[in-house]
Amino acid sequence: MSQSTEELSHAVVGQLMAVIGAPDDEQVAEAADASVRALDERLRAEAAA
């Protein structure tokens, strides 16, 4: 099941909070990056539709 845009937005916020809590953790940063990229792709697709 695909996440809604709102769910992706909340995931990004959670991931960025994790980065704040563990700024030197590379895995946390990679997870946050993946979340931001997923949201960016979704927003671009919605804007193009």
Side-chain angles (χ1 to χ4, degrees):
M1 180 177 196
S2 180
Q3 289 183 305
S4 72
T5 302
E6 184 176 348
E7 290 171 327
L8 287 172
S9 295
H10 288 290
V12 166
V13 170
Q15 291 295 335
L16 293 176
M17 294 299 288
V19 168
I20 291 168
D24 296 327
D25 190 322
E26 194 169 318
Q27 288 180 321
V28 171
E30 289 172 357
D33 181 58
S35 292
V36 169
R37 288 178 188 271
L39 179 59
D40 183 53
E41 287 177 23
R42 173 66 57 83
L43 293 173
R44 287 176 190 266
E46 288 179 357

mmCIF file of all heavy atoms in Angstrom:
data_model
loop_
_atom_site.group_PDB
_atom_site.id
_atom_site.type_symbol
_atom_site.label_atom_id
_atom_site.label_comp_id
_atom_site.label_asym_id
_atom_site.label_seq_id
_atom_site.Cartn_x
_atom_site.Cartn_y
_atom_site.Cartn_z
ATOM 1 N N MET A 1 0.840 -1.180 0.000
ATOM 2 C CA MET A 1 0.000 0.000 0.000
ATOM 3 C C MET A 1 0.889 1.249 0.000
ATOM 4 O O MET A 1 1.842 1.352 0.760
ATOM 5 C CB MET A 1 -0.910 -0.025 1.226
ATOM 6 C CG MET A 1 -1.818 1.159 1.320
ATOM 7 S SD MET A 1 -2.891 0.965 2.770
ATOM 8 C CE MET A 1 -4.082 2.167 2.345
ATOM 9 N N SER A 2 0.563 2.181 -0.840
ATOM 10 C CA SER A 2 1.334 3.409 -0.978
ATOM 11 C C SER A 2 0.932 4.413 0.103
ATOM 12 O O SER A 2 -0.232 4.502 0.480
ATOM 13 C CB SER A 2 1.091 4.006 -2.358
ATOM 14 O OG SER A 2 1.815 5.186 -2.520
ATOM 15 N N GLN A 3 1.918 5.147 0.578
ATOM 16 C CA GLN A 3 1.637 6.161 1.595
ATOM 17 C C GLN A 3 1.031 7.391 0.941
ATOM 18 O O GLN A 3 1.360 7.746 -0.180
ATOM 19 C CB GLN A 3 2.923 6.571 2.304
ATOM 20 C CG GLN A 3 3.497 5.526 3.209
ATOM 21 C CD GLN A 3 4.731 6.052 3.923
ATOM 22 O OE1 GLN A 3 5.652 6.504 3.291
ATOM 23 N NE2 GLN A 3 4.704 5.986 5.237
ATOM 24 N N SER A 4 0.155 8.061 1.677
ATOM 25 C CA SER A 4 -0.406 9.316 1.198
ATOM 26 C C SER A 4 0.651 10.412 1.333
ATOM 27 O O SER A 4 1.659 10.249 2.023
ATOM 28 C CB SER A 4 -1.648 9.696 2.009
ATOM 29 O OG SER A 4 -1.271 10.107 3.315
ATOM 30 N N THR A 5 0.403 11.521 0.679
ATOM 31 C CA THR A 5 1.321 12.651 0.769
ATOM 32 C C THR A 5 1.430 13.125 2.214
ATOM 33 O O THR A 5 2.529 13.445 2.689
ATOM 34 C CB THR A 5 0.853 13.792 -0.148
ATOM 35 O OG1 THR A 5 0.766 13.293 -1.485
ATOM 36 C CG2 THR A 5 1.811 14.963 -0.108
ATOM 37 N N GLU A 6 0.328 13.138 2.918
ATOM 38 C CA GLU A 6 0.348 13.560 4.328
ATOM 39 C C GLU A 6 1.197 12.600 5.164
ATOM 40 O O GLU A 6 1.986 13.036 6.018
ATOM 41 C CB GLU A 6 -1.070 13.643 4.887
ATOM 42 C CG GLU A 6 -1.107 14.167 6.302
ATOM 43 C CD GLU A 6 -2.512 14.355 6.828
ATOM 44 O OE1 GLU A 6 -3.481 14.301 6.051
ATOM 45 O OE2 GLU A 6 -2.640 14.568 8.048
ATOM 46 N N GLU A 7 1.050 11.310 4.916
ATOM 47 C CA GLU A 7 1.854 10.333 5.647
ATOM 48 C C GLU A 7 3.344 10.503 5.335
ATOM 49 O O GLU A 7 4.185 10.399 6.234
ATOM 50 C CB GLU A 7 1.407 8.913 5.302
ATOM 51 C CG GLU A 7 0.059 8.546 5.857
ATOM 52 C CD GLU A 7 -0.479 7.237 5.333
ATOM 53 O OE1 GLU A 7 -0.212 6.880 4.163
ATOM 54 O OE2 GLU A 7 -1.175 6.562 6.118
ATOM 55 N N LEU A 8 3.652 10.768 4.071
ATOM 56 C CA LEU A 8 5.048 11.012 3.704
ATOM 57 C C LEU A 8 5.584 12.262 4.393
ATOM 58 O O LEU A 8 6.728 12.284 4.863
ATOM 59 C CB LEU A 8 5.198 11.144 2.181
ATOM 60 C CG LEU A 8 5.082 9.859 1.373
ATOM 61 C CD1 LEU A 8 5.047 10.178 -0.117
ATOM 62 C CD2 LEU A 8 6.214 8.912 1.685
ATOM 63 N N SER A 9 4.764 13.305 4.473
ATOM 64 C CA SER A 9 5.178 14.536 5.156
ATOM 65 C C SER A 9 5.481 14.275 6.622
ATOM 66 O O SER A 9 6.484 14.758 7.156
ATOM 67 C CB SER A 9 4.089 15.606 5.044
ATOM 68 O OG SER A 9 3.901 15.992 3.719
ATOM 69 N N HIS A 10 4.639 13.506 7.273
ATOM 70 C CA HIS A 10 4.855 13.175 8.680
ATOM 71 C C HIS A 10 6.115 12.323 8.849
ATOM 72 O O HIS A 10 6.860 12.497 9.822
ATOM 73 C CB HIS A 10 3.641 12.462 9.265
ATOM 74 C CG HIS A 10 2.464 13.352 9.469
ATOM 75 N ND1 HIS A 10 2.425 14.337 10.428
ATOM 76 C CD2 HIS A 10 1.278 13.414 8.822
ATOM 77 C CE1 HIS A 10 1.268 14.970 10.360
ATOM 78 N NE2 HIS A 10 0.553 14.428 9.387
ATOM 79 N N ALA A 11 6.355 11.426 7.891
ATOM 80 C CA ALA A 11 7.556 10.597 7.944
ATOM 81 C C ALA A 11 8.810 11.463 7.822
ATOM 82 O O ALA A 11 9.799 11.230 8.524
ATOM 83 C CB ALA A 11 7.526 9.537 6.838
ATOM 84 N N VAL A 12 8.767 12.455 6.953
ATOM 85 C CA VAL A 12 9.909 13.359 6.798
ATOM 86 C C VAL A 12 10.173 14.099 8.101
ATOM 87 O O VAL A 12 11.320 14.204 8.545
ATOM 88 C CB VAL A 12 9.690 14.349 5.622
ATOM 89 C CG1 VAL A 12 10.694 15.483 5.666
ATOM 90 C CG2 VAL A 12 9.771 13.621 4.295
ATOM 91 N N VAL A 13 9.133 14.605 8.726
ATOM 92 C CA VAL A 13 9.308 15.313 9.994
ATOM 93 C C VAL A 13 9.941 14.381 11.027
ATOM 94 O O VAL A 13 10.890 14.764 11.728
ATOM 95 C CB VAL A 13 7.963 15.876 10.512
ATOM 96 C CG1 VAL A 13 8.110 16.398 11.936
ATOM 97 C CG2 VAL A 13 7.458 16.959 9.585
ATOM 98 N N GLY A 14 9.451 13.177 11.114
ATOM 99 C CA GLY A 14 10.013 12.208 12.059
ATOM 100 C C GLY A 14 11.468 11.908 11.767
ATOM 101 O O GLY A 14 12.297 11.826 12.690
ATOM 102 N N GLN A 15 11.781 11.749 10.499
ATOM 103 C CA GLN A 15 13.171 11.458 10.127
ATOM 104 C C GLN A 15 14.082 12.640 10.431
ATOM 105 O O GLN A 15 15.215 12.459 10.887
ATOM 106 C CB GLN A 15 13.260 11.088 8.645
ATOM 107 C CG GLN A 15 12.626 9.771 8.302
ATOM 108 C CD GLN A 15 13.335 8.582 8.938
ATOM 109 O OE1 GLN A 15 14.513 8.634 9.258
ATOM 110 N NE2 GLN A 15 12.606 7.507 9.128
ATOM 111 N N LEU A 16 13.611 13.850 10.179
ATOM 112 C CA LEU A 16 14.443 15.021 10.463
ATOM 113 C C LEU A 16 14.641 15.204 11.971
ATOM 114 O O LEU A 16 15.720 15.618 12.410
ATOM 115 C CB LEU A 16 13.832 16.268 9.830
ATOM 116 C CG LEU A 16 13.846 16.272 8.299
ATOM 117 C CD1 LEU A 16 13.140 17.511 7.763
ATOM 118 C CD2 LEU A 16 15.254 16.173 7.745
ATOM 119 N N MET A 17 13.636 14.869 12.755
ATOM 120 C CA MET A 17 13.794 14.914 14.208
ATOM 121 C C MET A 17 14.844 13.886 14.645
ATOM 122 O O MET A 17 15.642 14.143 15.552
ATOM 123 C CB MET A 17 12.464 14.647 14.906
ATOM 124 C CG MET A 17 11.416 15.717 14.673
ATOM 125 S SD MET A 17 11.891 17.330 15.274
ATOM 126 C CE MET A 17 11.769 17.051 17.026
ATOM 127 N N ALA A 18 14.858 12.741 13.979
ATOM 128 C CA ALA A 18 15.858 11.718 14.293
ATOM 129 C C ALA A 18 17.264 12.227 13.970
ATOM 130 O O ALA A 18 18.213 11.953 14.710
ATOM 131 C CB ALA A 18 15.567 10.438 13.525
ATOM 132 N N VAL A 19 17.395 12.967 12.878
ATOM 133 C CA VAL A 19 18.696 13.538 12.518
ATOM 134 C C VAL A 19 19.138 14.538 13.588
ATOM 135 O O VAL A 19 20.314 14.564 13.971
ATOM 136 C CB VAL A 19 18.647 14.210 11.123
ATOM 137 C CG1 VAL A 19 19.895 15.044 10.869
ATOM 138 C CG2 VAL A 19 18.477 13.163 10.030
ATOM 139 N N ILE A 20 18.223 15.331 14.079
ATOM 140 C CA ILE A 20 18.558 16.285 15.134
ATOM 141 C C ILE A 20 19.043 15.534 16.380
ATOM 142 O O ILE A 20 19.993 15.953 17.035
ATOM 143 C CB ILE A 20 17.344 17.182 15.470
ATOM 144 C CG1 ILE A 20 17.061 18.120 14.288
ATOM 145 C CG2 ILE A 20 17.571 17.964 16.757
ATOM 146 C CD1 ILE A 20 15.740 18.846 14.377
ATOM 147 N N GLY A 21 18.410 14.422 16.663
ATOM 148 C CA GLY A 21 18.780 13.634 17.838
ATOM 149 C C GLY A 21 20.061 12.841 17.675
ATOM 150 O O GLY A 21 20.707 12.494 18.659
ATOM 151 N N ALA A 22 20.421 12.536 16.442
ATOM 152 C CA ALA A 22 21.632 11.740 16.182
ATOM 153 C C ALA A 22 22.339 12.295 14.948
ATOM 154 O O ALA A 22 22.370 11.659 13.894
ATOM 155 C CB ALA A 22 21.255 10.278 15.977
ATOM 156 N N PRO A 23 22.907 13.494 15.065
ATOM 157 C CA PRO A 23 23.462 14.165 13.891
ATOM 158 C C PRO A 23 24.654 13.460 13.245
ATOM 159 O O PRO A 23 24.956 13.711 12.079
ATOM 160 C CB PRO A 23 23.864 15.542 14.427
ATOM 161 C CG PRO A 23 24.050 15.349 15.889
ATOM 162 C CD PRO A 23 23.069 14.283 16.277
ATOM 163 N N ASP A 24 25.318 12.571 13.958
ATOM 164 C CA ASP A 24 26.481 11.884 13.401
ATOM 165 C C ASP A 24 26.171 10.478 12.901
ATOM 166 O O ASP A 24 27.068 9.773 12.451
ATOM 167 C CB ASP A 24 27.598 11.813 14.448
ATOM 168 C CG ASP A 24 28.115 13.189 14.828
ATOM 169 O OD1 ASP A 24 28.124 14.083 13.951
ATOM 170 O OD2 ASP A 24 28.494 13.372 15.993
ATOM 171 N N ASP A 25 24.914 10.068 12.974
ATOM 172 C CA ASP A 25 24.523 8.721 12.564
ATOM 173 C C ASP A 25 24.213 8.699 11.073
ATOM 174 O O ASP A 25 23.218 9.262 10.612
ATOM 175 C CB ASP A 25 23.305 8.270 13.367
ATOM 176 C CG ASP A 25 22.978 6.806 13.170
ATOM 177 O OD1 ASP A 25 23.119 6.300 12.037
ATOM 178 O OD2 ASP A 25 22.573 6.163 14.150
ATOM 179 N N GLU A 26 25.067 8.028 10.320
ATOM 180 C CA GLU A 26 24.934 7.998 8.866
ATOM 181 C C GLU A 26 23.659 7.277 8.413
ATOM 182 O O GLU A 26 23.013 7.690 7.453
ATOM 183 C CB GLU A 26 26.155 7.330 8.241
ATOM 184 C CG GLU A 26 26.267 7.559 6.754
ATOM 185 C CD GLU A 26 27.597 7.136 6.194
ATOM 186 O OE1 GLU A 26 28.631 7.404 6.831
ATOM 187 O OE2 GLU A 26 27.586 6.524 5.113
ATOM 188 N N GLN A 27 23.283 6.228 9.104
ATOM 189 C CA GLN A 27 22.068 5.495 8.735
ATOM 190 C C GLN A 27 20.826 6.352 8.944
ATOM 191 O O GLN A 27 19.896 6.300 8.137
ATOM 192 C CB GLN A 27 21.950 4.201 9.528
ATOM 193 C CG GLN A 27 22.950 3.151 9.090
ATOM 194 C CD GLN A 27 22.808 1.877 9.896
ATOM 195 O OE1 GLN A 27 22.577 1.926 11.107
ATOM 196 N NE2 GLN A 27 22.932 0.748 9.228
ATOM 197 N N VAL A 28 20.816 7.126 10.004
ATOM 198 C CA VAL A 28 19.691 8.024 10.261
ATOM 199 C C VAL A 28 19.610 9.069 9.153
ATOM 200 O O VAL A 28 18.534 9.368 8.630
ATOM 201 C CB VAL A 28 19.820 8.692 11.656
ATOM 202 C CG1 VAL A 28 18.792 9.793 11.848
ATOM 203 C CG2 VAL A 28 19.685 7.645 12.749
ATOM 204 N N ALA A 29 20.763 9.598 8.767
ATOM 205 C CA ALA A 29 20.802 10.594 7.693
ATOM 206 C C ALA A 29 20.328 10.002 6.367
ATOM 207 O O ALA A 29 19.596 10.647 5.618
ATOM 208 C CB ALA A 29 22.218 11.148 7.545
ATOM 209 N N GLU A 30 20.734 8.773 6.082
ATOM 210 C CA GLU A 30 20.309 8.121 4.839
ATOM 211 C C GLU A 30 18.795 7.872 4.836
ATOM 212 O O GLU A 30 18.141 8.037 3.801
ATOM 213 C CB GLU A 30 21.073 6.820 4.643
ATOM 214 C CG GLU A 30 22.533 7.048 4.289
ATOM 215 C CD GLU A 30 23.365 5.783 4.282
ATOM 216 O OE1 GLU A 30 22.827 4.695 4.605
ATOM 217 O OE2 GLU A 30 24.564 5.889 3.962
ATOM 218 N N ALA A 31 18.254 7.496 5.971
ATOM 219 C CA ALA A 31 16.805 7.281 6.067
ATOM 220 C C ALA A 31 16.062 8.592 5.858
ATOM 221 O O ALA A 31 15.032 8.632 5.167
ATOM 222 C CB ALA A 31 16.450 6.659 7.414
ATOM 223 N N ALA A 32 16.577 9.667 6.440
ATOM 224 C CA ALA A 32 15.952 10.977 6.258
ATOM 225 C C ALA A 32 16.024 11.398 4.805
ATOM 226 O O ALA A 32 15.051 11.919 4.253
ATOM 227 C CB ALA A 32 16.631 12.012 7.159
ATOM 228 N N ASP A 33 17.155 11.172 4.177
ATOM 229 C CA ASP A 33 17.321 11.511 2.767
ATOM 230 C C ASP A 33 16.312 10.756 1.904
ATOM 231 O O ASP A 33 15.683 11.337 1.017
ATOM 232 C CB ASP A 33 18.750 11.194 2.322
ATOM 233 C CG ASP A 33 18.997 11.547 0.877
ATOM 234 O OD1 ASP A 33 18.806 12.733 0.509
ATOM 235 O OD2 ASP A 33 19.396 10.655 0.105
ATOM 236 N N ALA A 34 16.136 9.484 2.179
ATOM 237 C CA ALA A 34 15.185 8.675 1.412
ATOM 238 C C ALA A 34 13.759 9.206 1.592
ATOM 239 O O ALA A 34 12.990 9.264 0.625
ATOM 240 C CB ALA A 34 15.273 7.210 1.841
ATOM 241 N N SER A 35 13.422 9.616 2.799
ATOM 242 C CA SER A 35 12.087 10.155 3.060
ATOM 243 C C SER A 35 11.866 11.471 2.317
ATOM 244 O O SER A 35 10.807 11.691 1.723
ATOM 245 C CB SER A 35 11.876 10.378 4.558
ATOM 246 O OG SER A 35 11.823 9.169 5.240
ATOM 247 N N VAL A 36 12.867 12.338 2.355
ATOM 248 C CA VAL A 36 12.753 13.624 1.658
ATOM 249 C C VAL A 36 12.620 13.396 0.151
ATOM 250 O O VAL A 36 11.794 14.025 -0.513
ATOM 251 C CB VAL A 36 13.961 14.533 1.985
ATOM 252 C CG1 VAL A 36 13.991 15.749 1.078
ATOM 253 C CG2 VAL A 36 13.912 14.960 3.439
ATOM 254 N N ARG A 37 13.405 12.472 -0.375
ATOM 255 C CA ARG A 37 13.333 12.182 -1.823
ATOM 256 C C ARG A 37 11.964 11.614 -2.215
ATOM 257 O O ARG A 37 11.409 11.976 -3.246
ATOM 258 C CB ARG A 37 14.446 11.237 -2.229
ATOM 259 C CG ARG A 37 15.813 11.902 -2.217
ATOM 260 C CD ARG A 37 16.918 10.913 -2.572
ATOM 261 N NE ARG A 37 18.213 11.488 -2.384
ATOM 262 C CZ ARG A 37 18.873 12.160 -3.318
ATOM 263 N NH1 ARG A 37 18.332 12.327 -4.503
ATOM 264 N NH2 ARG A 37 20.068 12.661 -3.068
ATOM 265 N N ALA A 38 11.422 10.739 -1.388
ATOM 266 C CA ALA A 38 10.102 10.155 -1.675
ATOM 267 C C ALA A 38 9.026 11.240 -1.675
ATOM 268 O O ALA A 38 8.161 11.270 -2.560
ATOM 269 C CB ALA A 38 9.777 9.064 -0.665
ATOM 270 N N LEU A 39 9.092 12.130 -0.696
ATOM 271 C CA LEU A 39 8.117 13.215 -0.642
ATOM 272 C C LEU A 39 8.290 14.147 -1.835
ATOM 273 O O LEU A 39 7.300 14.565 -2.446
ATOM 274 C CB LEU A 39 8.247 13.994 0.670
ATOM 275 C CG LEU A 39 7.289 15.171 0.846
ATOM 276 C CD1 LEU A 39 5.830 14.716 0.775
ATOM 277 C CD2 LEU A 39 7.577 15.892 2.156
ATOM 278 N N ASP A 40 9.515 14.451 -2.184
ATOM 279 C CA ASP A 40 9.785 15.316 -3.332
ATOM 280 C C ASP A 40 9.218 14.718 -4.619
ATOM 281 O O ASP A 40 8.554 15.414 -5.391
ATOM 282 C CB ASP A 40 11.287 15.543 -3.468
ATOM 283 C CG ASP A 40 11.620 16.494 -4.596
ATOM 284 O OD1 ASP A 40 11.064 17.611 -4.630
ATOM 285 O OD2 ASP A 40 12.460 16.123 -5.460
ATOM 286 N N GLU A 41 9.443 13.434 -4.816
ATOM 287 C CA GLU A 41 8.896 12.765 -6.007
ATOM 288 C C GLU A 41 7.377 12.840 -6.030
ATOM 289 O O GLU A 41 6.771 13.093 -7.065
ATOM 290 C CB GLU A 41 9.346 11.303 -6.045
ATOM 291 C CG GLU A 41 10.793 11.121 -6.391
ATOM 292 C CD GLU A 41 11.223 9.664 -6.351
ATOM 293 O OE1 GLU A 41 10.351 8.775 -6.489
ATOM 294 O OE2 GLU A 41 12.425 9.420 -6.171
ATOM 295 N N ARG A 42 6.758 12.605 -4.875
ATOM 296 C CA ARG A 42 5.293 12.643 -4.789
ATOM 297 C C ARG A 42 4.772 14.039 -5.110
ATOM 298 O O ARG A 42 3.821 14.196 -5.885
ATOM 299 C CB ARG A 42 4.851 12.239 -3.390
ATOM 300 C CG ARG A 42 3.365 12.393 -3.105
ATOM 301 C CD ARG A 42 2.486 11.455 -3.917
ATOM 302 N NE ARG A 42 2.844 10.086 -3.711
ATOM 303 C CZ ARG A 42 2.440 9.337 -2.703
ATOM 304 N NH1 ARG A 42 1.619 9.833 -1.810
ATOM 305 N NH2 ARG A 42 2.838 8.093 -2.604
ATOM 306 N N LEU A 43 5.397 15.059 -4.513
ATOM 307 C CA LEU A 43 4.927 16.431 -4.743
ATOM 308 C C LEU A 43 5.111 16.842 -6.202
ATOM 309 O O LEU A 43 4.260 17.522 -6.769
ATOM 310 C CB LEU A 43 5.639 17.401 -3.799
ATOM 311 C CG LEU A 43 5.298 17.229 -2.317
ATOM 312 C CD1 LEU A 43 6.180 18.122 -1.471
ATOM 313 C CD2 LEU A 43 3.829 17.479 -2.051
ATOM 314 N N ARG A 44 6.211 16.423 -6.815
ATOM 315 C CA ARG A 44 6.425 16.731 -8.238
ATOM 316 C C ARG A 44 5.369 16.052 -9.112
ATOM 317 O O ARG A 44 4.858 16.651 -10.050
ATOM 318 C CB ARG A 44 7.816 16.313 -8.673
ATOM 319 C CG ARG A 44 8.917 17.203 -8.136
ATOM 320 C CD ARG A 44 10.289 16.664 -8.540
ATOM 321 N NE ARG A 44 11.348 17.341 -7.858
ATOM 322 C CZ ARG A 44 11.999 18.397 -8.362
ATOM 323 N NH1 ARG A 44 11.694 18.853 -9.552
ATOM 324 N NH2 ARG A 44 12.972 18.952 -7.669
ATOM 325 N N ALA A 45 5.053 14.807 -8.795
ATOM 326 C CA ALA A 45 4.041 14.064 -9.549
ATOM 327 C C ALA A 45 2.676 14.718 -9.402
ATOM 328 O O ALA A 45 1.926 14.832 -10.376
ATOM 329 C CB ALA A 45 4.002 12.612 -9.095
ATOM 330 N N GLU A 46 2.350 15.139 -8.191
ATOM 331 C CA GLU A 46 1.064 15.797 -7.963
ATOM 332 C C GLU A 46 0.994 17.130 -8.689
ATOM 333 O O GLU A 46 -0.061 17.499 -9.217
ATOM 334 C CB GLU A 46 0.813 15.988 -6.472
ATOM 335 C CG GLU A 46 0.503 14.699 -5.747
ATOM 336 C CD GLU A 46 0.284 14.893 -4.263
ATOM 337 O OE1 GLU A 46 0.417 16.023 -3.742
ATOM 338 O OE2 GLU A 46 -0.007 13.878 -3.594
ATOM 339 N N ALA A 47 2.094 17.867 -8.723
ATOM 340 C CA ALA A 47 2.115 19.155 -9.402
ATOM 341 C C ALA A 47 1.982 18.975 -10.920
ATOM 342 O O ALA A 47 1.387 19.826 -11.603
ATOM 343 C CB ALA A 47 3.401 19.910 -9.076
ATOM 344 N N ALA A 48 2.512 17.886 -11.429
ATOM 345 C CA ALA A 48 2.457 17.643 -12.877
ATOM 346 C C ALA A 48 1.088 17.121 -13.309
ATOM 347 O O ALA A 48 0.733 17.224 -14.488
ATOM 348 C CB ALA A 48 3.534 16.632 -13.267
ATOM 349 N N ALA A 49 0.330 16.583 -12.370
ATOM 350 C CA ALA A 49 -0.980 16.003 -12.717
ATOM 351 C C ALA A 49 -2.042 17.057 -12.927
ATOM 352 O O ALA A 49 -1.995 18.160 -12.611
ATOM 353 C CB ALA A 49 -1.415 15.045 -11.611
#
